[in-house]
Amino acid sequence: VQGLFHRRRVSYHVHQRQDIRKDHRPYWLKRLFAKYNDFYVDNFLAPQFEYFGKGHNIMGAKYFDIYGRNISVGDFPTMVASPDNYIHLTTWNLEGNEGEISIGKYCLLTPGVRIASASKIEIGDGCMFANSAYVSDADWHGIYDRATPVGKTIPITLKENVWIGDRAIVGKGVTIGKNSIVAAGAVVVKDVPENVVVGGNPASIIKELDPAIEGNTRIKLFEDPDGLKDLYNQIDRYTLKNNKLKNYIRSKINRTKKH
């Protein structure tokens, strides 16, 4: 049974990967790129954090903008940045303010995510942030005094397994309950209970989730991190096995010509 389940998982992930733009790299070359990426993360990206978790999966490590102190990321993070859509993590540590960003284990950050703190933003385990989501615990300027930062600031808390949708905004002082989802483009300015979906501007509850249904979370996905790593390695071996170096070089040249 376990073997059948494993084969189905491999088949599912293989089909997922084949839906993405084809990777022309030979398997050995992809592994070499991965080793360089890990070296870059460990020696250039991770030192910018107070704590940077083990078991990281970072894509686009050069495209992060980390500013300020007290920024930490828990174990097994997945973060994807791109040259046209940096991930920005910013704390304000001046003029009596001591911003802090604490991101839990197993979290997912995608291109364009911005998180900015002048007091504290606490993000629970397994949270996910879609493209260009924005979380800020401050106004950054006063209503009447617009020349002086940071204005009003109140801490934000995202509980375990929260999902912030594409281009959604979470404002100061907000607490979002466990398992809740913020729909794409929503603007959250007040607390959100657990197990709901909110949407709109200002965001309001549009659906209640059934807490009796046990979902498949990122936390569960990483219950066996070594097994998961081995699974993805098997997928790469399978999907890239026929790739040749000359074809990879040709694909890069053709792509350059198109642009």
Side-chain angles (χ1 to χ4, degrees), residues 128-247:
M128 304 191 304
F129 297 83
N131 286 30
S132 300
Y134 178 47
V135 181
S136 172
D137 64 14
D139 292 333
W140 299 109
H141 292 280
I143 295 175
Y144 299 104
D145 181 5
R146 302 187 186 183
T148 307
V150 297
K152 191 173 183 179
T153 177
I154 310 173
I156 291 172
T157 301
L158 275 59
K159 300 292 187 178
E160 181 181 298
N161 201 40
V162 165
W163 178 8
I164 308 298
D166 195 288
R167 298 187 182 276
I169 297 172
V170 179
K172 65 182 184 295
V174 165
T175 295
I176 300 180
K178 181 178 178 180
N179 300 325
S180 286
I181 299 169
V182 176
V187 179
V188 183
V189 294
K190 62 181 181 180
D191 290 353
V192 174
E194 63 181 35
N195 294 306
V196 298
V197 180
V198 297
N201 181 9
S204 59
I205 296 173
I206 57 178
K207 182 177 181 178
E208 294 187 3
L209 304 178
D210 186 349
I213 298 176
E214 187 177 4
N216 188 24
T217 67
R218 292 187 61 79
I219 298 171
K220 287 186 178 182
L221 182 66
F222 286 93
E223 284 179 346
D224 180 13
D226 291 335
L228 185 65
K229 185 176 181 180
D230 181 62
L231 170 64
Y232 283 124
N233 191 43
Q234 288 184 52
I235 292 170
D236 282 338
R237 281 185 183 276
Y238 178 81
T239 57
L240 306 178
K241 63 182 180 181
N242 294 322
N243 286 1
K244 306 296 182 184
L245 181 60
K246 64 179 181 180
N247 293 335

Side-chain angles (χ1 to χ4, degrees), residues 19-37:
D19 288 339
I20 305 172
R21 182 172 61 85
K22 179 173 173 58
D23 189 343
H24 294 275
R25 291 175 293 181
Y27 171 76
W28 64 266
L29 185 59
K30 183 169 184 179
R31 297 299 299 163
L32 187 62
F33 281 2
K35 287 183 180 297
Y36 168 75
N37 185 73

Side-chain angles (χ1 to χ4, degrees), residues 46-78:
Q48 300 180 61
F49 292 77
E50 294 294 318
Y51 176 80
F52 193 85
K54 65 181 182 181
H56 53 75
N57 181 17
I58 310 299
M59 287 165 270
K62 294 185 292 185
Y63 309 121
F64 284 71
D65 181 17
I66 312 300
Y67 179 85
R69 302 190 298 267
N70 308 322
I71 303 174
S72 62
V73 175
D75 296 340
F76 304 105
T78 300

Side-chain angles (χ1 to χ4, degrees), residues 63-126:
Y63 309 121
F64 284 71
D65 181 17
I66 312 300
Y67 179 85
R69 302 190 298 267
N70 308 322
I71 303 174
S72 62
V73 175
D75 296 340
F76 304 105
T78 300
M79 298 194 286
V80 183
S82 63
D84 61 339
N85 228 353
Y86 277 49
I87 287 176
H88 301 267
L89 304 176
T90 303
T91 58
W92 184 267
N93 311 110
L94 294 170
E95 300 167 342
N97 295 101
E98 192 66 19
E100 179 181 350
I101 298 172
S102 176
I103 301 174
K105 299 177 182 178
Y106 321 114
C107 288
L108 169 67
L109 277 65
T110 56
V113 167
R114 294 181 296 146
I115 303 175
S117 172
S119 50
K120 184 173 184 179
I121 298 175
E122 187 170 6
I123 297 166
D125 294 346

